[in-house]
Amino acid sequence: MAFAAASLSPPPPYYYSLPNLSPKPLLNKIHPFSLLHRPPIFRIGGGLQLQGRDSLNFNLFASVTSADLLLDEAVEKTQLPKGDTWSIHKFGGTCVGTSERIQNVANIIVKDESERKLVVVSAMSKVTDMMYDLIYKAQTRDDSYIISLDAVLEKHKSTAIDLLVGDDLANFLARLHEDINNLKAMLRAIYIAGHATESFSDFVVGHGELWSAQLLSAVVRKSGSECVCMDTRDVIVVNPSGFNQVDPDYLESGRRLEKWYSQNSSDTIVATGFIATTSQNIPTTLKRDGSDFSAAIMGALFRARQVTIWTDVDGVYSADPRKVSEAVILEKLSYQEAWEMSYFGANVLHPRTIIPVMKYDIPIVIRNIFNLSAPGTTICRTAGIGNEDGYRVESPVKGFATIDNLALVNVEGTGMAGVPGTASDIFAAVKDVGANVIMISQASSEHSVCFAVPEKEVKAVASALESRFRQALDAGRLSQIAIIPNCSILAAVGQKMASTPGVSATLFNALAKANINIRAIAQGCSEYNVTVVLKREDCIRALRAVHSRFYLSRTTIAMGIIGPGLIGGTLLDQLRDQAAVLKEKFNIDLRVMGITGSRTMLLNDMGIDLSIWRDLQKEKGEKADIQKFVQNVHGNHFIPNTVIVDCTADSYVASHYHDWLRRGIHVITPNKKANSGPLEQYLKLRTLQRQSYAHYFYEATVGAGLPIITTLKGLLETGDKISRIEGIFSGTLSYIFNNFVGARTFSEVVKGAKEAGYTEPDPRDDLSGTDVARKVIILARESGLKLELSDIPVQSLVPEPLKARTNSISDITSAEEFLQQLPQYDQVLAKQRQDAEATGEVLRYVGVVDVVNQKGTVELRRYKKEHPFAQLSGSDNIIAFSTQRYEKQPLIVRGPGAGAEVTAGGVFSDILRLASYLGAPS
């Protein structure tokens, strides 16, 4: 079958407009070029033979016309200036996506004060996809390719009408229509053949860059500036390198650039991105991110001062801002850092874009065309940043990048150890199926090799390996070829990592504290990056955890508050008042994701507005559900760290601590029930807490806001030996006995304490001594004693007839009844006070931990008036630690021990201690 292609006959040779020549007037006014109007001229033979649908071959060849020879003889060579006078700009498709944006780019070019500038442009936004779609439709014989081509024509036609007038508009539209007609003929040929070669595809797709370059150069000239167009296929020569890549021929490209410039010298050049030619003058493209690559190649050829890549973001972020909202713009990156980050999925630059400029130390600047005030990110030889005092304050890790949808392949067996060529055979099999190995990890024992590949390729890889090693598997030399799906890679990148000890330790510690397990690790000897493989569902949480740990963002903690009563409500108010200061000065972001009481709860995925939390609880509160509450607080993958703050005195809530810690949820509480409950449960809880990376803080269980637990732990951890702990642990009972003086009766003081808000709603809860006994058992267990609460003898101050018992109809059940009948028993305590005063002593209700004799007691004791316990006032607590170091003079801790403010403050202090442990600066 044969057909004529008369419409593809070559046009007359194109003559450049140059001095000393007499070109046609129209060509002298413009600098047009098109695919069929450019030297060398590509012609499509007038009669093509079609031999089968896969055998259509267009004979593309270069022709040196007589005009070219005339030019070579007539043109006086113009020396190409190179060096810092040139700046290279690259504008992507988004930057030239509309007529308004093209005008904006033209304004930037005109205002650039560089002595000389070369501007590389991509096709208008979406045009490259439209051109590929044309080829696909033509190949599949979809007649709608004609309508799609009309849409391409209309897009550029309307843009030109918006931007140009007069001859400029007429000339552009004439070239546009000519190109479209030629494309129709070419697509028709592809339609008939049902196939398009790579060269023909590249030829068709390249029109988008040509049209955008023509439009932009015309707009620049319209502003009064001199400007010429460059079809980079006249300059950039590349050679295919396999794997859908090309290598620039810099020597030949430089030679062609010299020739091109001698014929088109100008201080402003608009050049096409993405497209190039082979050494055989066959049109091709620079493949992925080709326009960036074009700009870098031009930067190297011109030895430019810098290459600016204009995009729609403010620069390179320390992490994907869609995953880490606190990601920051990096002021500088080294070439190697940018290379590593781009390889691992960061939206920086393709690694090959960096190669051309590295040789000549040409910086690349990433800038936002929509935010000209942003300085952007500079990629250069060194990336050190110092402050005004000369101190280097940057983190050793510059940024983090992730790759999702991976699978790990683990080849394992004792027969691998010491056998040369095993790894070679493994990766030869992987190569045979065309899979891309993202990461490799092998232990020195050579017992196993594991590597990561895209999940879509893992089945083919597994089949190839099983086929290649079938004999070794059957013989037992290999034990397994295991596939671990649903993985992601997290890479930490930084040039200073190599010279900073402990970076890997910090990275792994941050992941551990976020309760994230690592499946594989890889690190090159350059130490520019440390790569870990994780479960896919853990990736975002891991990214936020490590990002926070290296001070690149705030330490963010998702919080759930249980019990918004007196203490919990006060804590929420304290969090509200301090939130701004914590963010600004301490880099801590505490987000309350849930508040729950026994009946209603308030949830919010982004964090509750604490300025109106009480109103929100009334308006939007839902039925309390502890499981749903915890899931909402802990299930936010964008926040790596979770803490539940239990402000109740509820045993049921305390029973959940073990499960929460096991799930990696930190727990902070003033609730004494867990640490004073059954010994077996307590030991199980503490064992889990020591084995996991979840923190369990309970300072406020003993001394409200006083550092009792911290002090005791500090003594024990530093090797001191505790002999005795004695103290007034109840702020309520401290207040009562500090005021039980003179003629005042005991019942009168108790009533006053309740009215002042120092007691529980039922004062018997304080007077029974149970609360003090719980504090004693907590301290006893912290000191190493294995005691149950029932092992502590407690002297109750509630008269036996007034104790509440539910099995008798004569019980005194209400607090009011208790206070009414308490005066009947005043005489007992009045007699004890008189006896103490007669010997110069006072009464104090104390708890004692006798570590030497392994016991504890809670009772009313007498102390000399010179004793520290006798000199308290108000509701102060006081605790004396007698130790090996503090044998003659006990270590005293004294301060307020009751009240919502100080208790909430103690809980708040534990929250900030947790933030510090998780990476917040101290």
Side-chain angles (χ1 to χ4, degrees), residues 322 333 376 399-400 500 504 557 560 702 753 824 834 857 881 920:
R322 295 167 298 182
L333 282 173
F400 300 91
T500 306
S504 295
I557 303 176
V702 175
Q824 302 175 26
Q834 292 170 1
T857 56
F881 294 93

Side-chain angles (χ1 to χ4, degrees), residues 832-854:
Q832 293 185 47
R833 181 183 64 186
Q834 292 170 1
D835 292 344
E837 289 176 346
T839 58
E841 294 176 323
V842 295
L843 296 177
R844 294 292 185 261
Y845 195 80
V846 298
V848 178
V849 178
D850 186 345
V851 178
V852 175
N853 295 305
Q854 299 188 15

Side-chain angles (χ1 to χ4, degrees), residues 242-515:
F243 302 106
N244 199 32
Q245 297 291 330
V246 293
D247 293 329
D249 183 338
Y250 290 100
L251 186 63
E252 177 61 19
S253 298
R255 187 189 69 78
R256 293 194 182 190
L257 176 60
E258 292 276 359
K259 180 178 180 181
W260 184 94
Y261 191 81
S262 71
Q263 301 167 359
N264 301 273
S265 61
S266 176
D267 290 341
T268 303
I269 302 171
V270 176
T272 56
F274 185 56
I275 55 179
T277 187
T278 68
S279 56
Q280 292 78 35
N281 293 323
I282 298 174
T284 187
T285 66
L286 299 179
K287 315 308 176 186
R288 178 187 168 194
D289 295 313
S291 293
D292 288 351
F293 198 15
S294 298
I297 294 170
M298 284 299 183
L301 293 176
F302 279 94
R303 311 293 193 268
R305 175 175 55 85
Q306 75 175 32
V307 175
T308 303
I309 306 294
W310 293 89
T311 180
D312 55 0
V313 293
D314 286 344
V316 180
Y317 284 87
S318 54
D320 187 339
R322 295 167 298 182
K323 298 177 179 178
V324 182
S325 59
E326 299 86 358
V328 297
I329 296 293
L330 300 174
E331 181 181 341
K332 284 190 178 182
L333 282 173
S334 71
Y335 294 126
Q336 290 83 359
E337 287 169 339
W339 193 327
E340 294 283 356
M341 289 186 70
S342 62
Y343 178 80
F344 284 98
N347 188 19
V348 186
L349 292 171
H350 193 278
R352 64 181 180 160
T353 303
I354 301 168
I355 297 172
V357 298
M358 283 182 64
K359 182 177 180 181
Y360 303 104
D361 284 346
I362 300 170
I364 299 176
V365 181
I366 312 295
R367 292 198 62 190
N368 189 350
I369 194 172
F370 305 115
N371 183 14
L372 298 181
S373 62
T377 299
T378 300
I379 300 170
C380 54
R381 176 67 60 185
T382 57
I385 302 173
N387 60 17
E388 294 179 356
D389 299 323
Y391 295 104
R392 304 178 77 83
V393 295
E394 60 180 352
S395 167
V397 176
K398 274 296 184 65
F400 300 91
T402 59
I403 304 177
D404 294 322
N405 302 319
L406 299 176
L408 272 181
V409 180
N410 186 45
V411 182
E412 186 176 300
T414 55
M416 294 173 58
V419 179
T422 302
S424 174
D425 290 342
I426 290 172
F427 294 111
V430 176
K431 179 185 175 183
D432 288 345
V433 297
N436 181 29
V437 177
I438 308 296
M439 187 210 78
I440 304 169
S441 179
Q442 178 179 350
S444 59
S445 66
E446 301 183 41
H447 176 68
S448 68
V449 175
C450 95
F451 55 93
V453 297
E455 204 156 35
K456 62 184 180 181
E457 299 173 355
V458 71
K459 287 185 178 179
V461 169
S463 297
L465 289 173
E466 288 172 358
S467 175
R468 177 70 65 92
F469 293 101
R470 173 51 55 199
Q471 184 177 357
L473 286 166
D474 293 342
R477 294 194 303 276
L478 287 185
S479 56
Q480 65 171 344
I481 297 173
I483 305 299
I484 305 172
N486 303 319
C487 294
S488 292
I489 276 179
L490 168 65
V493 176
Q495 191 168 352
K496 288 185 65 181
M497 289 165 58
S499 59
T500 306
V503 172
S504 295
T506 303
L507 176 74
F508 299 144
N509 185 257
L511 293 173
K513 287 183 175 180
N515 202 39

Side-chain angles (χ1 to χ4, degrees), residues 68 148 152 197-198 216 267 383 429 491-492 525 593 610 666 675 695 706 722 799:
D68 295 320
S148 299
V152 173
T197 65
E198 182 180 355
L216 180 59
D267 290 341
C525 61
M593 317 297 282
L610 295 185
H666 309 291
N675 285 8
H695 294 283
L706 296 179
I722 309 296

Side-chain angles (χ1 to χ4, degrees), residues 530-603:
V530 177
T531 304
V532 296
V533 180
L534 316 160
K535 291 181 181 178
R536 184 190 302 162
E537 59 266 29
D538 289 338
C539 188
I540 293 177
R541 197 154 50 89
L543 182 60
R544 291 188 61 93
V546 296
H547 193 271
S548 296
R549 186 62 186 88
F550 284 93
Y551 309 103
L552 295 173
S553 67
R554 294 187 179 99
T555 298
T556 307
I557 303 176
M559 300 177 61
I561 308 295
I562 303 178
L566 189 58
I567 294 173
T570 303
L571 173 64
L572 287 165
D573 292 340
Q574 291 177 352
L575 290 168
R576 173 201 63 203
D577 296 341
Q578 198 66 8
V581 175
L582 290 174
K583 286 183 181 180
E584 181 179 350
K585 293 188 176 181
F586 300 97
N587 223 16
I588 299 171
D589 186 2
L590 302 176
R591 298 190 193 178
V592 177
M593 317 297 282
I595 302 170
T596 185
S598 58
R599 294 184 177 85
T600 61
M601 66 180 179
L602 177 64
L603 306 177

